[in-house]
Amino acid sequence: MKRARLLSIVTALAIGRGALPAQASDPTLEQTAELYYSAWLNHDRAGAVKLNKALRPETGGRDYIDLGMLDGPIAWQLKRMGTLSLKSDPSEPEVRRLMARLIVEGNRRVRCRAVGSRVGSQPAGERFRATVMLECAAPDATAALRQVKERERGDVDMNNPTPRLLRAIIEAFEKAPLTRRISTEMDLNAGMAKQRWMPDMYRTGIDRVTSAVAGQIAEAGLGR
């Protein structure tokens, strides 16, 4: 498996107000962004349920966030990794499971909060566009990952990682301090009343966060 392929899998995110006030049950623009991030990064089921309920008038009654992702995040990631190519050997199922766990655990402790937003002064068609700026605190595991590389010595091969190596990387992320700062932006849109804000699936900013987390593997010299 190519280094770029591995890291892409591990990677697999002026203050404005509406003309009319949002109802009590409707999250604000900033709250919508935070709920979206907490669902995707932290597997916050309660937040996802709240967001789904708020957005049902915009989705025809369907859930916007797949709750299956939150009920079994590792199993859900394994499905997404269905096209992953690894060498066939007895450890392959365990390697796949650990890689899915790495995706989950690497991002689970990230904390993001909205720090501002800007709303377009004119609608584009029948929707207003907005951007929320977020600041995230993520695990900084680079130092611990370098120690993993030193301990493993010549047995570091991220093209075909061993279960032991993946477990060590997961542990490094689980214990790392939340000192890495990541700035990102998320686009949303709403109807003319600016009442319910829908995340724009094409620019969520989540990828900037997950890339910064996963990129630490390469920073530590483990991504070859």
Side-chain angles (χ1 to χ4, degrees), residues 77-216:
Q77 289 292 349
L78 278 169
K79 289 183 180 179
R80 295 184 75 199
M81 292 167 56
T83 59
L84 175 63
S85 254
L86 290 174
K87 295 178 181 178
S88 297
D89 60 53
S91 70
E92 181 178 340
E94 179 67 359
V95 168
R96 287 177 181 270
R97 187 188 69 81
L98 286 168
M99 288 191 65
R101 184 181 163 199
L102 174 56
I103 295 170
V104 172
E105 298 303 336
N107 298 312
R108 189 191 294 274
R109 295 171 57 228
V110 175
R111 294 295 179 266
C112 298
R113 65 184 183 91
V115 295
S117 62
R118 56 180 181 268
V119 181
S121 58
Q122 299 294 327
E126 296 183 353
R127 308 286 291 183
F128 276 92
R129 309 290 174 178
T131 298
V132 174
M133 288 71 76
L134 300 104
E135 293 291 336
C136 305
D140 192 341
T142 306
L145 291 171
R146 289 191 178 118
Q147 293 177 0
V148 169
K149 182 182 179 183
E150 292 176 2
R151 288 198 306 268
E152 295 294 320
R153 296 182 182 176
D155 195 25
V156 177
D157 181 8
M158 290 302 286
N159 289 323
N160 189 23
T162 64
R164 185 177 73 176
L165 176 59
L166 289 173
R167 289 191 192 98
I169 292 173
I170 291 168
E171 183 179 6
F173 278 110
E174 288 176 332
K175 295 182 177 180
L178 299 180
T179 53
R180 179 156 296 212
R181 304 299 174 188
I182 305 167
S183 299
T184 190
E185 294 184 347
M186 178 179 185
D187 287 350
L188 302 97
N189 62 81
M192 300 302 289
K194 303 180 187 176
Q195 183 177 339
R196 286 178 293 269
W197 290 96
M198 287 286 295
D200 185 333
M201 69 178 68
Y202 298 107
R203 191 169 181 267
T204 66
I206 291 280
D207 56 331
R208 189 178 300 181
V209 179
T210 56
S211 293
V213 173
Q216 296 176 50

Side-chain angles (χ1 to χ4, degrees), residues 29-41:
L29 173 61
E30 294 83 2
Q31 288 170 342
T32 298
E34 290 178 347
L35 287 171
Y36 185 89
Y37 269 60
S38 67
W40 276 97
L41 297 175

